[in-house]
Amino acid sequence: MPELVLELNGRTWTLDASRPYTLGRDPQGDIVLDDARVSWRHATISWGGRSWVIEDHGSTNGTFVQGQRIHQMEIGPGSAVHLGNATDGPRLNLSGAAAAVAQPQQQPFAAQGASPGWAQQPTPQQQAPEQGWQQPQQAAQIPQQQGPGGGAGAPPVYGDRSPTTFHQFSLGRVMRIGRALENELVVSDLQVSRHHAEFHATPDGRFEIRDLGSHNGTYVNGMPIAKGGSALLGPNDIVGVGHSTFRLVGDRLEEFVDTGEVSFSARHLTVTVDGGKQILKDVSFGVPEKSLVAVIGPSGSGKSTLLKALTGYRPANQGDVLYDNRNLYKQFAELRQRIGLVPQDDILHKELTVKKALKYAAKLRFPADTTGEEREARIDEVLRELKLDIHKEKKVTSLSGGQRKRVSVALELLTKPSLIFLDEPTSGLDPGMDRDVMQLLRGLADDGRTVLVVTHSVAELAICDKLLVMAPGGSVAYFGPPEEALNFFGYETWADVFSAFENYRDYDWAGRWKGSQHYQMYAADIDAVAPQSANVPSQQAMKPRKPQGWGSQLLTLISRYTSVIVSDRGFLGLMVILPAVLGVVSVLIPADYGLALGPQNGKPPFSNRDGSTILLILAVGACFAGAANSVRELIKERVIYERERATGLSRSAYLMSKVIVLGVITILQGGIIGAIGLFSLGAEKLPDEGLLLKSAPALELTLPIMALGFTSMMFGLVISSLVKTAEKTMPLLVMFAIVQVVFTGCLFQLYDKVGVEQLAWLMPSRWAVAAAGTTAQLNVLLPWQPGKPGDPLWDHELSQWFVDMGVLIGIGVICGFAVARLLRRHEPEVMRK
């Protein structure tokens, strides 16, 4: 087995055929090349049995021989290999014992003489010139992962990369991990708690990892261990803490830091909906690290479904999504912290300033033990990176469309994700802003992130590394360099391509793609991996840890919601004016007798209908004000809730923040309506005394109005959680208010009418007027059948007052549970209990 001598810039290395040698920027590698064009782990040179072989490991800028990019080829003395650039990249000159220098096993597409368009034929012998994923032979060796303590069932850590650093670990020693400087292993990552976890070496020579009550969790083979719990580690188990991963090899602890340069691949993703219809069909592609990938396609091609499958929001029924060779579905609870998602709609409150919006996001996403100074420093860092520091004190609503999209990206960059997905980021932007946003994404990829963008715009596709074209029906029509896409389809413009999709919807676009040379070059090795069931773990295992405690989240959400309301002066003014106007309306109604009991002006008491009319107007006003406050609140924040829920937001804390803030506002509004409508009557037109508050009958009459406003607000939240668009809320609001008028019991007799009476029990206005009616003795003021028993809900008894108020408030509580249930529909499917 001959030796091989490598020479570079006067330095030489002698390679022994007994082992492989790694080339790259990794200081732990065998041949270290300090050049920015060279990847961290760029390539490997090894003896192949009959000759030396160089293999590229999906490097960003490639490995070249004789000016041609190669993936794997035989080399020998006299060969010259360029890394990172075909002409001026670092040049390795090979010498040593005589060996034949083989030609590259493949050529770039342009060098093969392939004809463009429909005439292309596949070349089965051709291999992919670059891959961001493992070859099938390697992928087949990846063992299935096990749960904590699963021993040899662990997957590889970051493919075949070398560890970032090593730590010696001896028996009887405890090695604590965290952000605080007093830890034995300090991790400067805001996703990590100050005292996060610790490794223990047990007396019998085994090792265990113990969680120290961390906020974002400690993971073994992608599965979370209980807060404060522990797990024994096998020889191949991997431990995840924030962006760092650890593996014990003998008595040495290897640390791998996710710096953002990760590969990403989808393998045979298929999504089936009810009825057996496939809306995503066998989608496979892979991209190397630091890549910008664009996804385009006509309506109905499954782009949104693909995005949900790739992010874990809606896992595919079949297939795998690999995050640097780690199964995203199986390890979602850990890996979701490293994935950023920017939806089409802005994921921030436009009423807040840029700095304040990011401040609240950071407080919700970072651990509870993160200091304000640490959060401020990270926010300022992101603002400078995206050139938003000059806009940080501006309200989001005052920014241009492109600037608002930058703020949405900034929000996702707070946690330093390695993989960023964007859904239609240029939608509604002019060509100039379109270019600016795409250049921003290009910069994010160049800085060491993998970026995938779903877009309808085709103007800036040239700056992307790869292009994925989806065909009608959810299959792949093309994947490869964007500059070769139009030639592949045989058209001059994308408008022609999309017209062909529409005119030939039944054409087998996926079959044409799989029979092409481009498929052999860019996706053939994926096809060697058989599709598998997604096999998502139990929901408890998938449930992400909450970065903040429930109480801390609630306080932050209340503070943010209050800031949003205070910042919106128009809405704030409307909340004050609306109850005042509704209260004044009740005053304008002539009331000779008011709510006073007993004959006045010589008229008998049963002729006094003023009391029921006043209570009707007050009840309708409270219903309308309460429901109007909340009917849009959930639908307008739906996108924000979906994203924050995926990052660990508590559903109940989110709902309670709405209930508390809106409840306080609505109760105050009910007090204003009651104060204007009742206190203005004067003591002579009010009951002499109350049932509960003997000396304050006006206040006692106001309490049901305030409770009615609260319950109506809860009904508004139900409506807001049911509708799909904000435009549908107003008709439902009007319908709700009208129905409440009918079932107050003031317009016609409800009791003793089977069906009608039971339906009225579901209406909050029925119980609010009934509670006020017990105090005002409506059975005397408004006897529907003089001389006969009146409405039992109006009986002038304290016990009946408590029953009416209890049912009224109980309806509101039931509405709260209904809203919590309905909110589940707007959460990542992989997280639902």
Side-chain angles (χ1 to χ4, degrees):
M1 294 187 294
E3 293 182 340
L4 186 68
V5 179
L6 271 64
E7 187 274 330
L8 171 66
N9 296 333
R11 300 173 60 193
T12 60
W13 295 267
T14 301
L15 276 57
D16 183 356
S18 63
R19 71 180 186 89
Y21 293 82
T22 59
L23 293 75
R25 298 200 325 270
D26 183 1
Q28 305 296 331
D30 299 301
I31 301 172
V32 182
L33 305 173
D34 187 15
D35 191 295
R37 294 168 293 183
V38 178
S39 294
W40 188 259
R41 186 177 177 87
H42 195 103
T44 298
I45 296 178
S46 60
W47 176 253
R50 64 184 181 90
S51 63
W52 289 91
V53 176
I54 185 169
E55 180 180 358
D56 185 278
H57 287 293
S59 62
T60 302
N61 296 316
T63 303
F64 301 86
V65 174
Q66 298 180 0
Q68 299 169 6
R69 186 164 184 167
I70 60 97
H71 171 66
Q72 183 180 18
M73 68 168 291
E74 296 178 349
I75 56 175
S79 298
V81 179
H82 284 87
L83 304 179
N85 189 283
T87 56
D88 61 353
R91 175 189 172 104
L92 296 174
N93 295 308
L94 282 65
S95 61
V101 179
Q103 294 298 317
Q105 295 178 348
Q106 68 283 322
Q107 295 180 342
F109 175 74
Q112 296 170 359
S115 58
W118 300 86
Q120 295 177 1
Q121 297 294 328
T123 304
Q125 294 81 10
Q126 190 174 20
Q127 297 182 8
E130 58 170 320
Q131 300 294 343
W133 54 87
Q134 290 188 329
Q135 295 298 306
Q137 295 84 358
Q138 296 170 318
Q141 297 171 2
I142 299 176
Q144 294 297 320
Q145 80 173 43
Q146 303 293 329
V157 182
Y158 300 129
D160 54 0
R161 298 184 187 180
S162 297
T164 306
T165 185
F166 303 93
H167 309 275
Q168 205 63 31
F169 198 29
S170 58
L171 289 176
R173 184 181 175 189
V174 175
M175 183 177 290
R176 190 168 53 182
I177 307 171
R179 287 198 336 271
L181 296 178
E182 60 265 23
N183 292 289
E184 287 77 15
L185 205 164
V186 179
V187 179
S188 57
D189 180 358
L190 291 183
Q191 294 288 83
V192 177
S193 300
R194 292 183 60 81
H195 300 96
H196 196 103
E198 59 187 15
F199 286 96
H200 287 262
T202 60
D204 59 358
R206 304 178 69 183
F207 297 91
E208 71 172 3
I209 180 70
R210 180 178 300 165
D211 184 84
L212 298 178
S214 63
H215 298 281
N216 279 322
T218 305
Y219 301 84
V220 177
N221 299 334
M223 296 293 104
I225 63 177
K227 191 169 185 176
S230 62
L232 288 173
L233 300 177
N236 294 318
D237 285 337
I238 59 174
V239 176
V241 174
H243 287 81
S244 297
T245 307
F246 302 89
R247 178 172 58 190
L248 280 165
V249 180
D251 60 350
R252 187 176 69 175
L253 184 65
E254 297 181 347
E255 179 181 3
F256 301 78
V257 179
D258 187 345
T259 58
E261 298 181 352
V262 299
S263 62
F264 182 76
S265 63
R267 303 192 180 201
H268 300 282
L269 299 183
T270 298
V271 174
T272 306
V273 295
D274 295 339
K277 180 181 179 182
Q278 290 185 344
I279 56 177
L280 204 66
K281 300 177 182 178
D282 195 25
V283 174
S284 297
F285 66 94
V287 294
E289 60 189 34
K290 295 198 301 184
S291 294
L292 174 59
V293 182
V295 180
I296 64 173
S299 298
S301 59
K303 299 188 299 296
S304 297
T305 302
L306 175 62
L307 190 64
K308 292 179 180 179
L310 294 177
T311 56
Y313 269 53
R314 199 289 187 194
N317 300 96
Q318 286 185 318
D320 300 298
V321 177
L322 300 184
Y323 175 101
D324 227 19
N325 297 316
R326 302 180 66 184
N327 192 302
L328 175 65
Y329 295 160
K330 295 179 180 178
Q331 305 185 34
F332 180 79
E334 177 185 356
L335 296 181
R336 56 102 189 174
Q337 304 178 44
R338 309 183 191 184
I339 296 176
L341 173 62
V342 181
Q344 181 175 346
D345 297 323
D346 293 326
I347 50 176
L348 33 83
H349 293 86
K350 299 179 182 179
E351 300 83 2
L352 301 177
T353 64
V354 172
K355 185 77 174 284
K356 186 171 287 188
L358 294 181
K359 183 189 76 171
Y360 284 119
K363 197 167 184 179
L364 286 172
R365 297 192 181 194
F366 288 141
D369 60 5
T370 307
T371 64
E373 291 75 14
E374 289 176 312
R375 292 193 297 268
E376 288 278 338
R378 180 57 188 157
I379 291 171
D380 291 339
E381 181 183 351
V382 171
L383 289 175
R384 286 193 301 269
E385 179 181 358
L386 298 182
K387 298 179 176 59
L388 286 169
D389 46 335
I390 60 175
H391 303 295
K392 64 182 181 181
E393 299 302 332
K394 295 180 181 178
K395 285 189 175 183
V396 176
T397 188
S398 67
L399 302 178
S400 66
Q403 291 169 340
R404 285 202 302 271
K405 192 57 64 177
R406 282 178 177 264
V407 178
S408 293
V409 173
L411 190 151
E412 290 300 311
L413 291 184
L414 288 174
T415 55
K416 296 185 178 180
S418 303
L419 189 61
I420 303 177
F421 294 91
L422 301 99
D423 187 11
E424 300 286 357
T426 61
S427 177
L429 302 183
D430 60 48
M433 289 184 179
D434 182 352
R435 180 180 59 191
D436 291 343
V437 171
M438 292 301 291
Q439 288 178 344
L440 165 68
L441 302 183
R442 177 72 264 174
L444 293 178
D446 293 339
D447 287 341
R449 306 175 181 94
T450 301
V451 182
L452 188 145
V453 53
V454 175
T455 180
H456 277 116
S457 175
V458 297
E460 303 296 330
L461 295 180
I463 69 174
C464 300
D465 298 299
K466 292 290 188 296
L467 175 64
L468 177 66
V469 182
M470 300 294 293
S475 58
V476 177
Y478 172 82
F479 178 73
E483 62 270 15
E484 299 177 12
L486 287 176
N487 281 340
F488 172 82
F489 288 107
Y491 291 103
E492 295 183 356
T493 67
W494 283 108
D496 295 330
V497 175
F498 278 53
S499 294
F501 283 147
E502 181 63 29
N503 296 331
Y504 303 99
R505 297 188 70 88
D506 295 332
Y507 183 79
D508 186 10
W509 296 98
R512 179 177 177 273
W513 155 243
K514 291 182 178 180
S516 69
Q517 293 176 340
H518 280 75
Y519 179 82
Q520 297 295 324
M521 296 173 68
Y522 302 112
D525 71 328
I526 291 287
D527 196 45
V529 181
Q532 302 175 4
S533 170
N535 191 24
V536 179
S538 67
Q539 300 296 348
Q540 188 62 29
M542 299 297 296
K543 186 179 179 182
R545 185 80 61 81
K546 296 179 178 63
Q548 302 274 338
W550 189 89
S552 178
Q553 283 194 3
L554 178 63
L555 292 176
T556 301
L557 291 168
I558 289 175
S559 176
R560 183 178 69 178
Y561 192 28
T562 303
S563 297
V564 169
I565 292 176
V566 172
S567 300
D568 190 348
R569 296 182 179 179
F571 182 65
L572 192 63
L574 182 62
M575 286 191 299
V576 175
I577 295 173
L578 179 62
V581 170
L582 293 174
V584 169
V585 168
S586 66
V587 175
L588 297 178
I589 300 173
D592 294 334
Y593 310 114
L595 292 161
L597 181 63
Q600 295 187 12
N601 297 329
K603 294 182 179 180
F606 53 81
S607 67
N608 181 4
R609 301 186 61 88
D610 294 345
S612 62
T613 304
I614 293 172
L615 293 180
L616 172 64
I617 298 302
L618 294 178
V620 172
C623 285
F624 186 82
N629 286 339
S630 61
V631 75
R632 289 176 177 262
E633 287 307 300
L634 299 182
I635 183 64
K636 75 179 184 181
E637 290 187 0
R638 182 160 295 172
V639 176
I640 298 175
Y641 173 73
E642 288 177 354
R643 183 65 194 125
E644 291 184 342
R645 178 69 175 138
T647 61
L649 179 69
S650 166
R651 182 197 311 140
S652 58
Y654 175 78
L655 178 57
M656 282 303 299
S657 70
K658 296 293 183 185
V659 172
I660 291 173
V661 175
L662 291 175
V664 170
I665 292 172
T666 304
I667 290 173
L668 291 176
Q669 287 179 327
I672 294 173
I673 294 174
I676 296 176
L678 294 172
F679 285 86
S680 61
L681 290 175
E684 71 280 1
K685 294 184 179 181
L686 291 171
D688 294 333
E689 61 179 13
L691 290 170
L692 180 67
L693 305 174
K694 297 292 185 179
S695 59
L699 179 57
E700 186 175 305
L701 289 169
T702 304
L703 291 178
I705 303 302
M706 298 165 71
L708 176 60
F710 175 83
T711 301
S712 298
M713 179 271 295
M714 298 301 295
F715 260 98
L717 290 178
V718 172
I719 295 173
S720 191
S721 61
L722 280 172
V723 297
K724 293 183 177 180
T725 62
E727 290 74 16
K728 295 180 180 179
T729 58
M730 295 313 295
L732 293 174
L733 171 63
V734 173
M735 183 181 70
F736 171 75
I738 292 176
V739 169
Q740 299 310 306
V741 172
V742 174
F743 289 98
T744 54
C746 296
L747 297 180
F748 60 92
Q749 180 180 334
L750 293 175
Y751 65 97
D752 290 339
K753 291 187 176 180
V754 179
V756 176
E757 180 180 17
Q758 286 69 34
L759 182 60
W761 290 345
L762 302 176
M763 306 300 165
S765 63
R766 166 67 165 149
W767 298 96
V769 170
T774 60
T775 301
Q777 300 188 52
L778 278 187
N779 278 328
V780 178
L781 294 177
L782 185 61
W784 291 110
Q785 300 180 43
K788 294 184 179 181
D791 192 328
L793 301 186
W794 294 354
D795 288 344
H796 185 62
E797 297 176 359
L798 182 59
S799 60
Q800 186 60 52
W801 186 89
F802 277 117
V803 169
D804 294 339
M805 289 290 289
V807 174
L808 175 60
I809 297 173
I811 292 175
V813 172
I814 292 173
C815 288
F817 283 107
V819 175
R821 185 71 181 176
L822 291 169
L823 280 175
R824 293 179 66 256
R825 302 185 307 163
H826 311 297
E827 299 173 1
E829 185 172 327
V830 74
M831 289 175 54
R832 297 178 192 171
K833 292 183 181 179

